């Protein structure tokens, strides 16, 4: 190969590179999408866990929603108040007070307190166990199945299975919400971390059925609601529900509960 052939080859390569560069430049201008600078800054301040606890597909989706004023600056449960404050500054807003939340398992029915209808020997998963007859091997068809599906998805290792019941370590919980999504009985919810009184039951059964199934179940007697001076307790489908925005932590509900299923934390 002589020098002319080498020069021609180099020239052709340079020409191809030039053409490709021009094409890419034109394409960039044609298909360019303007990105909101605030969206970029918001995304940089989000923790990046992509847990979905905010209700969006991930941190990218949340950042876009916040930048468009479609989601509040306090939407990230993982980042909490520090992240909310930074995002509020970017958006030119006030973050306000952001209440820390934790996951809470609304069931106190461990092995000693609940009755068993049959033994389950299938896949070690709450999701599979819930597909069995009655949705549970236990007499209470609404309680914790105890196979740890929630614990398996918790990146913080904040959930343990103790005596066939899920227990949350609130010091480790970041309220990402992953556990809520996998619980087939919908037993887990996010509640204020400073909530002192909590109903540890989710049974929708009536009093007689509850008594026969579990010694730790709400029988729907209504005494807690009747004695609450702030109307902070209502009954939904035979189960007591506390409205924490009204609760003043007076403790009358726990005191009057005959089954002692309103626990003090």
């Amino acid at each position: 190969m002589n020098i002319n052939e080498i020069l021609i080859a180099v020239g052709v390569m340079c020409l191809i590179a030039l053409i490709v560069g021009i094409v890419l430049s034109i394409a960039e201008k044609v298909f360019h999408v303007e990105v909101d600078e605030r969206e970029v800054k918001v995304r940089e301040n989000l923790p990046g866990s992509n847990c979905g606890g905010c209700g969006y597909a991930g941190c990218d989706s949340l950042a876009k929603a916040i930048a468009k004023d479609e989601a509040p600056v306090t939407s990230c449960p993982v980042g909490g108040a520090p992240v909310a404050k930074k995002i509020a500054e970017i958006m030119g807003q006030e973050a306000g007070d952001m209440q820390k939340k934790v996951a809470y398992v609304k069931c106190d029915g461990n092995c000693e307190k609940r009755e068993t209808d049959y033994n389950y020997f299938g896949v070690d998963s709450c999701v599979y166990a819930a597909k069995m007859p009655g949705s549970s091997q236990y007499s209470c068809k609404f309680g914790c199945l105890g196979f740890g599906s929630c614990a398996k998805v918790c990146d913080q290792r904040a959930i343990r299975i103790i005596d066939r019941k899920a227990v949350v370590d609130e010091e480790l919980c970041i309220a990402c919400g992953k556990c809520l999504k996998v619980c087939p009985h919908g037993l887990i919810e996010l509640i204020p971390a400073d909530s002192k009184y909590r109903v540890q039951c989710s049974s929708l059964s009536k009093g007689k059925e509850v008594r026969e199934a579990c010694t730790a179940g709400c029988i729907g007697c209504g005494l807690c609601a009747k004695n609450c001076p702030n109307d902070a307790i209502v009954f939904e489908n035979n189960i007591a529900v506390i409205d924490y925005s009204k609760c003043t932590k007076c403790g009358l509900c726990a005191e009057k509960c005959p089954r002692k299923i309103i626990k003090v934390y």
Side-chain angles (χ1 to χ4, degrees):
M1 181 180 292
N2 57 41
I3 188 66
N4 290 331
E5 291 176 336
I6 294 174
L7 291 175
I8 291 173
V10 171
V12 170
M13 293 299 295
C14 290
L15 180 61
I16 292 174
L18 178 62
I19 293 173
V20 170
I22 293 172
V23 171
L24 290 176
S25 179
I26 294 173
E28 193 276 333
K29 292 180 180 179
V30 172
F31 298 105
H32 177 70
V33 178
E34 290 292 337
V35 178
D36 190 332
E37 184 179 347
R38 296 183 305 173
E39 178 184 333
V40 176
K41 291 181 178 179
V42 168
R43 179 62 185 87
E44 289 174 350
N45 282 279
L46 290 173
S49 57
N50 293 310
C51 62
C54 58
Y56 290 85
C59 293
D60 289 344
S61 298
L62 177 58
K64 184 175 294 186
I66 292 175
K68 291 181 178 180
D69 289 323
E70 295 175 355
V73 296
T74 56
S75 294
C76 179
V78 178
V83 168
K85 184 178 179 181
K86 292 179 182 177
I87 294 177
E89 291 175 357
I90 295 170
M91 296 298 296
Q93 301 176 14
E94 291 292 332
D97 294 329
M98 185 175 181
Q99 197 172 39
K100 184 182 186 307
K101 292 188 175 183
V102 292
Y104 173 61
V105 181
K106 299 177 291 182
C107 176
D108 194 34
N110 57 32
C111 293
E112 295 180 355
K113 299 176 181 178
R114 59 191 173 191
E115 299 296 325
T116 303
D117 286 345
Y118 59 86
N119 292 320
Y120 169 76
F121 296 104
V123 178
D124 195 21
S125 163
C126 298
V127 176
Y128 280 92
K131 295 179 180 179
M132 296 297 104
S135 79
S136 175
Q137 63 181 323
Y138 302 109
S139 298
C140 175
K141 306 306 178 185
F142 304 96
C144 181
L145 291 161
F147 291 103
S149 293
C150 52
K152 291 170 185 173
V153 299
C154 181
D155 297 328
Q156 310 302 315
R157 298 184 179 180
I159 302 179
R160 294 178 295 161
I161 304 301
I162 301 176
D163 198 12
R164 276 297 182 190
K165 189 180 81 70
V167 178
V168 178
D169 184 336
E170 297 183 11
E171 293 297 320
L172 298 177
C173 179
I174 59 173
C176 68
K178 286 184 178 180
C179 55
L180 281 66
K181 298 175 182 178
V182 299
C183 179
H185 285 174
L187 292 177
I188 309 175
E189 67 176 351
L190 297 180
I191 64 172
D194 64 353
S195 57
K196 188 174 181 180
Y197 298 95
R198 305 175 187 178
V199 179
Q200 274 202 313
C201 181
S202 293
S203 176
L204 305 183
S205 299
K206 294 185 178 180
K208 184 176 182 295
E209 296 175 345
V210 173
R211 288 190 183 94
E212 294 174 349
C214 180
T215 61
C218 175
I219 58 175
C221 67
L223 287 175
C224 54
K226 291 174 184 176
N227 285 278
C228 179
N230 303 292
D231 295 324
I233 301 180
V234 296
F235 273 82
E236 297 177 359
N237 298 316
N238 301 317
I239 189 74
V241 178
I242 299 176
D243 182 344
Y244 291 109
S245 67
K246 296 180 180 179
C247 179
T248 59
K249 307 174 185 177
C250 68
L252 280 175
C253 56
E255 180 184 329
K256 298 296 182 180
C257 177
R259 302 277 286 182
K260 302 304 176 186
I261 58 102
I262 299 182
K263 303 292 185 180
V264 183
Y265 283 77

